[in-house]
């Protein structure tokens, strides 16, 4: 019996490997067959076929307004809403789409805003966008929800850096671009020169460019007519399942999370249960509607329309920007074998923070409130990234990723105003890379995370390509500033006889400080810039520590280039000397690299006149009192703590790179 068993086993041995190999070769064939079968399956039909069948998108136009900051986007949006009678004259006010106090105070657009208006039987969905380089992510999300864009250019200032950046974004999204020459009624307007700039720099055909003045109402009807004639209609509905792309959302304390979306296909009815595909959350809708810009409820929203919804959505992670919305009933049907699966839309690329800073509550009890507030704020600002962080000096807080210094200021102000928080913000830094002696690559977003000097084999810092548009007469001053900031000159282009584009490759750390302010100062406000990350390069970097009375102050530590360490150290020490209040004992403020002190200053003690009560008598009496005072100050210095105010942290952000030629 055993002989028969082993004989059969020997005969089967060569067959087993063959069977296994055959199975392996069949895997790609099976995958291809499965894919072919899936493609041959029908799409999930719409849950509202009657509405979809009778719907046409031919009269819908979705467009955005893009421009450089202060070229008149918000004013033009006001005139479009006023001309189409979307907002009555009684309710009209300047910057009507800028609904934040910060936007009105600063005169800039921070958040994209949507509004629906009607013109000659057409539905026009307008999305107003920010113009500052720090809010480019907002612009990219707006453009993804549109088929066309109004490119607004100031007739007196001409093409600016952010104009170019926005045009490239629009072209990447394959949008129809309509150029508009704004502010033509200004005495300094030069339409012919600016048209040449647009054609020479961007390559747009300006033969039919619209001449307008948003403030005076000139050319508004021409703009509306151009939108109707030139902007393509959205794709027609296919009769398939409902799909919508979330482009914005915010938290309302009474209604919960309100989601703004663009319908790509299908139909949604008020009361439908929806599914957010990435977060896999299902919620009943209480209300759907359109923005005019006020929220107006509707029974249905169809393909091509832009609208809002809210329901039983309380968790901020359920409705993320870039997620795909579908109907729960249609999604369940797509899981059946006889239908195709509903695929989520492409969504948006993740934003890449340009800099990081620590945010800590002044009152430690506000930590939970800060965490909840950041979650709600992230709904409204998808570019915001954060993670928990702790500091021995400041307690528990968060490490926040920002797109620039203005973005950081806006986030701080919004948290303090909208959520009633008192915050401490640490010095901003970029993300460096450190290659250790063990061959590991460590991402370093703050000085506290930087490995010790003996463990570092190589340090790398991020570089950006920066384009500065400036009148040619300031070329020398711009190049001088670029050289000071360790920039590498790559190109100089002459757009016209009087305007130039200067291209530099520069460390990001040099750009996020006060580079823009310095640029404006040296060119009398006539220059603009835009930049993008191009990668990491090796650079000799050091960690600069601040010591106060011999104790290290980690929140004030910074990473800098070795050639600038002494100058930066002097600037930090001098700034802190001005902002740290005097104590009853002498305070020593030092900047050090490792154990080596490279800059030092001292804050003299407040002196009480202990000899005031001595009216004459022997001098030994006075000496005795002064000696006793000195002993008390020495004891106080050993036991006393120095409180560093928030103004000292702010001073670190505003140190001029040109400071520090003199010093202690």
């Amino acid at each position: 019996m055993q002989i028969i068993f082993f004989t059969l086993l020997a005969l089967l041995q060569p067959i087993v490997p063959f069977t296994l190999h055959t199975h392996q070769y069949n895997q790609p064939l099976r995958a291809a067959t499965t894919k072919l079968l899936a493609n041959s399956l029908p799409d999930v039909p719409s849950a509202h076929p009657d509405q979809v069948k009778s719907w046409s998108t031919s009269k819908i136009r979705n467009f955005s307004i893009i421009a450089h900051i202060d070229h008149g986007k918000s004013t033009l949006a006001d005139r479009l809403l006023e001309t189409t009678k979307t907002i009555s004259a009684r309710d009209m006010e300047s910057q009507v789409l800028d609904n934040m106090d910060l936007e009105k105070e600063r005169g800039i657009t921070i958040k994209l805003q949507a509004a629906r208006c009607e013109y000659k039987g057409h539905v026009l969905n307008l999305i107003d966008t920010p113009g500052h380089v720090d809010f480019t992510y907002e612009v990219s999300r707006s453009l993804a929800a549109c088929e066309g864009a109004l490119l607004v250019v100031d007739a007196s200032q001409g093409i600016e850096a952010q104009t170019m950046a926005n045009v490239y974004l629009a072209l990447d999204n394959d949008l129809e671009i309509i150029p508009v020459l704004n502010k033509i009624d200004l005495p300094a307007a030069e339409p012919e020169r600016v048209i040449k700039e647009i054609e020479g720099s961007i390559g747009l055909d300006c033969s039919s460019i619209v001449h307008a003045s948003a403030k005076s109402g000139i050319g508004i009807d021409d703009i509306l007519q151009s939108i109707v004639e030139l902007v393509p209609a959205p794709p027609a509905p296919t009769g398939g399942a409902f799909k919508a792309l979330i482009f914005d959302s915010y938290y309302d304390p009474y209604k919960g999370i309100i989601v703004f979306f663009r319908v790509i296909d299908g139909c949604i009815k008020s009361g439908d249960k929806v599914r957010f595909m990435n977060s896999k959350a299902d919620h009943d809708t209480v209300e759907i509607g359109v923005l005019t810009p006020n929220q107006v409820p509707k029974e249905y929203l169809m393909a091509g329309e832009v609208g809002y919804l809210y329901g039983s959505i309380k968790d901020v992670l359920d409705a993320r920007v870039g997620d795909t919305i579908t109907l729960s009933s249609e999604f369940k049907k797509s899981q059946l074998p006889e239908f195709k699966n509903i695929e989520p839309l492409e969504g948006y690329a993740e934003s890449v923070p340009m800099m990081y800073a620590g945010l800590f509550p002044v009152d430690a009890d506000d930590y939970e409130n800060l965490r909840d507030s950041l979650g709600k704020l992230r709904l409204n600002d998808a570019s915001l990234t954060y993670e928990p962080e702790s500091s021995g000096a400041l307690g528990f807080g968060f490490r926040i990723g920002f797109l620039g210094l203005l973005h950081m200021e806006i986030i701080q102000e919004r948290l303090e105003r909208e959520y009633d928080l008192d915050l401490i913000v640490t010095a901003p830094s970029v993300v460096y890379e450190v290659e250790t002696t063990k061959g590991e690559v460590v991402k370093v977003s703050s000085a506290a995370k930087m490995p010790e000097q003996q463990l570092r084999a190589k340090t790398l810092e991020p570089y950006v390509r920066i384009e500065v548009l400036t009148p040619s007469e300031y070329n020398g001053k711009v190049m001088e500033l670029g050289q000071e900031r360790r920039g590498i000159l790559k190109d100089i282009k002459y757009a016209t006889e009087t305007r130039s584009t200067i291209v530099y490759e520069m460390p990001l750390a040099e750009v996020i400080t006060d580079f823009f302010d310095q640029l404006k100062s040296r060119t009398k406000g006539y220059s603009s810039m835009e930049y993008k990350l191009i990668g990491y390069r090796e650079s000799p970097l050091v960690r600069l520590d601040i010591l106060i009375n011999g104790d290290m102050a980690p929140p004030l530590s910074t990473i800098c280039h070795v050639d600038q360490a002494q100058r930066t150290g002097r600037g930090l020490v001098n700034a802190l000397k001005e902002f740290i209040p005097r104590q009853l004992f002498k305070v020593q403020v030092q900047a050090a690299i490792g154990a080596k002190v490279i800059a030092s200053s001292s804050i003299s003690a407040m002196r009480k006149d202990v000899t005031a009560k001595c009216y004459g008598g022997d001098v030994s009496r006075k000496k005795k009192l002064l000696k006793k005072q000195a002993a008390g100050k020495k004891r106080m210095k050993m036991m006393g703590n120095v409180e560093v105010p928030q103004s000292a942290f702010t001073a670190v952000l505003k140190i001029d790179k040109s400071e520090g030629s003199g010093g202690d």
Side-chain angles (χ1 to χ4, degrees), residues 174-193:
D174 197 24
L175 302 190
E176 180 68 35
I177 300 174
I178 303 172
V180 175
L181 203 58
N182 195 23
K183 304 186 183 181
I184 59 164
D185 56 339
L186 289 180
E190 299 177 84
E192 297 304 321
R193 174 184 68 82

Side-chain angles (χ1 to χ4, degrees), residues 404-422:
L405 276 178
L406 178 62
H407 189 213
M408 185 179 79
E409 288 178 25
I410 295 298
I411 292 297
Q412 183 186 356
E413 283 198 50
R414 289 189 67 185
L415 285 169
E416 290 176 342
R417 288 189 186 196
E418 298 175 21
Y419 301 100
D420 196 24
L421 293 166
D422 290 326

Side-chain angles (χ1 to χ4, degrees), residues 145-207:
C146 299
E147 281 79 36
L150 293 180
L151 176 67
V152 181
V153 182
D154 190 318
S156 60
Q157 297 183 43
I159 288 286
E160 300 282 1
Q162 199 58 28
T163 314
M164 305 276 287
N166 288 334
V167 167
Y168 297 146
L169 281 174
L171 292 174
D172 287 343
N173 284 275
D174 197 24
L175 302 190
E176 180 68 35
I177 300 174
I178 303 172
V180 175
L181 203 58
N182 195 23
K183 304 186 183 181
I184 59 164
D185 56 339
L186 289 180
E190 299 177 84
E192 297 304 321
R193 174 184 68 82
V194 175
I195 287 172
K196 285 182 182 178
E197 281 186 18
I198 296 171
E199 290 181 333
S201 303
I202 303 173
L204 283 179
D205 179 16
C206 294
S207 56

Side-chain angles (χ1 to χ4, degrees), residues 241-246 264 275-280 322-326 331 334-335 340-348:
F242 171 73
K243 278 187 184 181
L245 180 68
I246 301 176
I264 305 300
R275 181 179 179 87
F276 299 95
M277 295 192 70
N278 288 336
S279 61
K280 300 177 181 177
D323 200 350
T324 302
I325 311 173
T326 188
F331 179 78
S334 74
Q335 304 303 299
K340 280 186 190 176
N341 286 335
I342 297 176
E343 296 295 331
L345 299 168
E346 190 175 341
Y348 304 110

